PDB file of all heavy atoms in Angstrom:
ATOM      1  N   PRO A 790     133.938  68.306  73.404  1.00  0.00           N
ATOM      2  CA  PRO A 790     133.836  66.919  73.685  1.00  0.00           C
ATOM      3  C   PRO A 790     132.707  66.318  73.021  1.00  0.00           C
ATOM      4  O   PRO A 790     131.668  66.886  72.723  1.00  0.00           O
ATOM      5  CB  PRO A 790     133.960  66.674  75.201  1.00  0.00           C
ATOM      6  CG  PRO A 790     133.389  68.141  75.642  1.00  0.00           C
ATOM      7  CD  PRO A 790     133.804  69.011  74.703  1.00  0.00           C
ATOM      8  N   PHE A 791     132.839  65.032  72.900  1.00  0.00           N
ATOM      9  CA  PHE A 791     131.797  64.189  72.220  1.00  0.00           C
ATOM     10  C   PHE A 791     130.409  64.394  72.790  1.00  0.00           C
ATOM     11  O   PHE A 791     129.459  64.486  72.215  1.00  0.00           O
ATOM     12  CB  PHE A 791     132.135  62.794  72.022  1.00  0.00           C
ATOM     13  CG  PHE A 791     131.050  61.964  71.541  1.00  0.00           C
ATOM     14  CD1 PHE A 791     130.756  61.952  70.128  1.00  0.00           C
ATOM     15  CD2 PHE A 791     130.305  61.110  72.457  1.00  0.00           C
ATOM     16  CE1 PHE A 791     129.676  61.177  69.666  1.00  0.00           C
ATOM     17  CE2 PHE A 791     129.226  60.372  71.841  1.00  0.00           C
ATOM     18  CZ  PHE A 791     128.880  60.366  70.510  1.00  0.00           C
ATOM     19  N   GLY A 792     130.320  64.323  74.172  1.00  0.00           N
ATOM     20  CA  GLY A 792     129.170  64.354  74.868  1.00  0.00           C
ATOM     21  C   GLY A 792     128.357  65.576  74.595  1.00  0.00           C
ATOM     22  O   GLY A 792     127.161  65.584  74.500  1.00  0.00           O
ATOM     23  N   MET A 793     129.094  66.776  74.447  1.00  0.00           N
ATOM     24  CA  MET A 793     128.357  67.954  74.245  1.00  0.00           C
ATOM     25  C   MET A 793     127.849  67.953  72.746  1.00  0.00           C
ATOM     26  O   MET A 793     126.866  68.546  72.395  1.00  0.00           O
ATOM     27  CB  MET A 793     129.349  69.088  74.405  1.00  0.00           C
ATOM     28  CG  MET A 793     129.086  69.782  75.670  1.00  0.00           C
ATOM     29  SD  MET A 793     130.394  71.029  75.877  1.00  0.00           S
ATOM     30  CE  MET A 793     129.399  72.461  76.257  1.00  0.00           C
ATOM     31  N   LEU A 794     128.547  67.230  71.874  1.00  0.00           N
ATOM     32  CA  LEU A 794     128.235  67.332  70.472  1.00  0.00           C
ATOM     33  C   LEU A 794     127.036  66.291  70.161  1.00  0.00           C
ATOM     34  O   LEU A 794     126.427  66.555  69.092  1.00  0.00           O
ATOM     35  CB  LEU A 794     129.505  66.934  69.645  1.00  0.00           C
ATOM     36  CG  LEU A 794     130.362  68.136  69.532  1.00  0.00           C
ATOM     37  CD1 LEU A 794     131.716  67.581  68.810  1.00  0.00           C
ATOM     38  CD2 LEU A 794     129.881  69.317  68.675  1.00  0.00           C
ATOM     39  N   PHE A 795     126.943  65.385  71.067  1.00  0.00           N
ATOM     40  CA  PHE A 795     125.914  64.331  70.772  1.00  0.00           C
ATOM     41  C   PHE A 795     124.539  64.855  70.387  1.00  0.00           C
ATOM     42  O   PHE A 795     123.980  64.595  69.266  1.00  0.00           O
ATOM     43  CB  PHE A 795     125.918  63.350  71.847  1.00  0.00           C
ATOM     44  CG  PHE A 795     124.771  62.271  71.710  1.00  0.00           C
ATOM     45  CD1 PHE A 795     125.041  61.282  70.698  1.00  0.00           C
ATOM     46  CD2 PHE A 795     123.629  62.363  72.353  1.00  0.00           C
ATOM     47  CE1 PHE A 795     123.975  60.249  70.622  1.00  0.00           C
ATOM     48  CE2 PHE A 795     122.585  61.400  72.220  1.00  0.00           C
ATOM     49  CZ  PHE A 795     122.811  60.399  71.273  1.00  0.00           C
ATOM     50  N   SER A 796     123.994  65.680  71.289  1.00  0.00           N
ATOM     51  CA  SER A 796     122.703  66.182  71.132  1.00  0.00           C
ATOM     52  C   SER A 796     122.528  67.054  69.904  1.00  0.00           C
ATOM     53  O   SER A 796     121.570  66.921  69.094  1.00  0.00           O
ATOM     54  CB  SER A 796     122.173  66.960  72.396  1.00  0.00           C
ATOM     55  OG  SER A 796     122.239  66.042  73.487  1.00  0.00           O
ATOM     56  N   PRO A 797     123.280  68.043  69.663  1.00  0.00           N
ATOM     57  CA  PRO A 797     123.274  68.789  68.458  1.00  0.00           C
ATOM     58  C   PRO A 797     123.362  68.007  67.105  1.00  0.00           C
ATOM     59  O   PRO A 797     122.689  68.223  66.181  1.00  0.00           O
ATOM     60  CB  PRO A 797     124.273  69.969  68.500  1.00  0.00           C
ATOM     61  CG  PRO A 797     125.124  69.528  69.697  1.00  0.00           C
ATOM     62  CD  PRO A 797     124.377  68.616  70.552  1.00  0.00           C
ATOM     63  N   VAL A 798     124.136  66.915  67.239  1.00  0.00           N
ATOM     64  CA  VAL A 798     124.370  66.087  65.999  1.00  0.00           C
ATOM     65  C   VAL A 798     123.042  65.395  65.779  1.00  0.00           C
ATOM     66  O   VAL A 798     122.647  65.290  64.634  1.00  0.00           O
ATOM     67  CB  VAL A 798     125.561  65.066  66.246  1.00  0.00           C
ATOM     68  CG1 VAL A 798     125.455  63.959  65.284  1.00  0.00           C
ATOM     69  CG2 VAL A 798     126.874  65.810  66.148  1.00  0.00           C
ATOM     70  N   VAL A 799     122.410  64.787  66.788  1.00  0.00           N
ATOM     71  CA  VAL A 799     121.173  64.127  66.640  1.00  0.00           C
ATOM     72  C   VAL A 799     120.117  65.042  66.042  1.00  0.00           C
ATOM     73  O   VAL A 799     119.383  64.715  65.101  1.00  0.00           O
ATOM     74  CB  VAL A 799     120.738  63.537  67.958  1.00  0.00           C
ATOM     75  CG1 VAL A 799     119.278  63.069  67.852  1.00  0.00           C
ATOM     76  CG2 VAL A 799     121.591  62.475  68.434  1.00  0.00           C
ATOM     77  N   LEU A 800     120.067  66.304  66.594  1.00  0.00           N
ATOM     78  CA  LEU A 800     119.015  67.283  66.059  1.00  0.00           C
ATOM     79  C   LEU A 800     119.327  67.686  64.581  1.00  0.00           C
ATOM     80  O   LEU A 800     118.463  67.760  63.784  1.00  0.00           O
ATOM     81  CB  LEU A 800     119.000  68.443  66.901  1.00  0.00           C
ATOM     82  CG  LEU A 800     118.467  68.269  68.356  1.00  0.00           C
ATOM     83  CD1 LEU A 800     118.586  69.450  69.212  1.00  0.00           C
ATOM     84  CD2 LEU A 800     116.892  67.994  68.173  1.00  0.00           C
ATOM     85  N   GLY A 801     120.697  67.869  64.300  1.00  0.00           N
ATOM     86  CA  GLY A 801     121.048  68.241  62.970  1.00  0.00           C
ATOM     87  C   GLY A 801     120.623  67.023  62.007  1.00  0.00           C
ATOM     88  O   GLY A 801     120.150  67.350  60.847  1.00  0.00           O
ATOM     89  N   PHE A 802     120.931  65.959  62.449  1.00  0.00           N
ATOM     90  CA  PHE A 802     120.654  64.734  61.644  1.00  0.00           C
ATOM     91  C   PHE A 802     119.016  64.758  61.455  1.00  0.00           C
ATOM     92  O   PHE A 802     118.634  64.476  60.157  1.00  0.00           O
ATOM     93  CB  PHE A 802     121.022  63.465  62.454  1.00  0.00           C
ATOM     94  CG  PHE A 802     120.738  62.204  61.658  1.00  0.00           C
ATOM     95  CD1 PHE A 802     121.582  61.999  60.509  1.00  0.00           C
ATOM     96  CD2 PHE A 802     120.006  61.300  62.129  1.00  0.00           C
ATOM     97  CE1 PHE A 802     121.347  60.748  59.762  1.00  0.00           C
ATOM     98  CE2 PHE A 802     119.835  60.039  61.438  1.00  0.00           C
ATOM     99  CZ  PHE A 802     120.573  59.776  60.332  1.00  0.00           C
TER     100      PHE A 802
END
Side-chain angles (χ1 to χ4, degrees):
Chain A
F791 172 74
M793 260 176 126
L794 286 171
F795 174 75
S796 302
V798 165
V799 170
L800 289 171
F802 185 65

